[in-house]
Amino acid sequence: MKKASEVVFCVSDRLVIRKFGLQDVHSFYQYRANPEVSRFQSWDNFTLQDAEAFVSKQIEHSPDQPGTWFQYAIALTESNQIIGDCAIHTLVDEPQIVELGFTLAPEHQGKGYMNEALCALIDYVFGFLKKHKMIAFTDVRNTKSIQVLERLGMRREGHLLENYMSKGFWIDEFQYAMLKSEWLEKRQ
Ligand SMILES: CC(C)(COP(=O)(O)OP(=O)(O)OC[C@H]1O[C@@H](n2cnc3c(N)ncnc32)[C@H](O)[C@@H]1OP(=O)(O)O)[C@@H](O)C(=O)NCCC(=O)NCCS
């Protein structure tokens, strides 16, 4: 039987988008615990125990279960070393729509890895999972995340006032979206 980390969902030139494995716990913990990475995210003070629990849960989980998030590990093809993750949340009321999330370890930012990983993931989401629409929410102050979404060609569909409670404050969010038809047109 395959180990969890041998389950590959999609690949790109430099990256493999695969299932999390137990060997990823430490690297995952290191970048999630970094305050620069968690600044605009829901979590704070991420511990090694949190990382162990998270990875163990992901190993047991399968993608595309309505009402849940599935986290994909992003690893370098050459070393299989995890450098970040991306995730999809299949909406419970409309499973043809998925929400996107993503994080990259700081030492691997600025090299186009997230754009490359998400192009492969979106091909898989619209091609293999046959979804109709992808959405994403981002803190309006998160310029790096906004750049990632706009580089992919996602459209800003809304500015949601005080839509999210983060670290004790109500935060404005932008909602971005892309239809399958828009992605296929862009990929031609
Ligand atoms: C959001 C986040 C993933 C963006 O990371 P990133 O490294 O800027 O994004 P990419 O990997 O796509 O890299 C793009 C950058 O690499 C540069 N680059 C270098 N080589 C490249 C190449 N071969 N191809 C494409 N871009 C390349 C681009 O010019 C761009 O730089 P710029 O932002 O200065 O213009 C990262 O900041 C992060 O993890 N933040 C914390 C978590 C978070 O907030 N997530 C979002 C939640 S909604």
Side-chain angles (χ1 to χ4, degrees), residues 63-164:
D64 201 24
Q65 305 300 313
T68 70
W69 282 93
F70 183 82
Q71 211 85 14
Y72 300 81
I74 303 173
L76 295 172
T77 309
E78 278 189 3
S79 58
N80 205 23
Q81 168 66 35
I82 185 176
I83 60 165
D85 56 79
C86 48
I88 61 164
H89 167 211
T90 305
L91 302 195
V92 70
D93 292 334
E94 180 42 86
Q96 294 305 305
I97 301 179
V98 292
E99 182 185 346
L100 176 68
F102 45 86
T103 301
L104 209 50
E107 65 273 26
H108 295 289
Q109 293 180 13
K111 296 174 185 163
Y113 283 138
M114 189 50 78
N115 180 260
E116 188 175 317
L118 294 180
C119 285
L121 184 80
I122 297 171
D123 277 342
Y124 155 87
V125 161
F126 289 134
F128 184 75
L129 296 180
K130 304 200 182 307
K131 298 299 169 186
H132 173 66
K133 182 175 181 175
M134 173 175 271
I135 60 174
F137 296 92
T138 182
D139 185 317
V140 296
R141 300 166 301 170
N142 194 347
T143 48
K144 287 290 174 192
S145 169
I146 291 167
Q147 279 168 3
V148 167
L149 295 167
E150 293 190 350
R151 207 172 277 129
L152 289 168
M154 293 187 77
R155 281 174 294 100
R156 189 181 294 175
E157 283 197 324
H159 182 159
L160 312 174
L161 298 183
E162 301 193 6
N163 196 49
Y164 175 62

Side-chain angles (χ1 to χ4, degrees), residues 10-64:
C10 45
V11 296
S12 64
D13 287 348
R14 299 177 290 177
L15 304 169
V16 176
I17 314 299
R18 60 161 172 79
K19 213 165 182 196
F20 267 86
L22 286 175
Q23 78 273 24
D24 300 321
V25 167
H26 197 70
S27 304
F28 178 67
Y29 158 66
Q30 279 191 317
Y31 67 76
R32 273 232 164 180
N34 185 323
E36 214 181 294
V37 166
S38 62
R39 181 166 171 219
F40 300 118
Q41 302 280 32
S42 54
W43 68 85
D44 229 349
N45 303 319
F46 201 74
T47 66
L48 186 58
Q49 288 70 31
D50 291 334
E52 282 165 353
F54 188 99
V55 169
S56 301
K57 196 170 159 203
Q58 287 305 312
I59 289 173
E60 296 304 318
H61 197 30
S62 324
D64 201 24

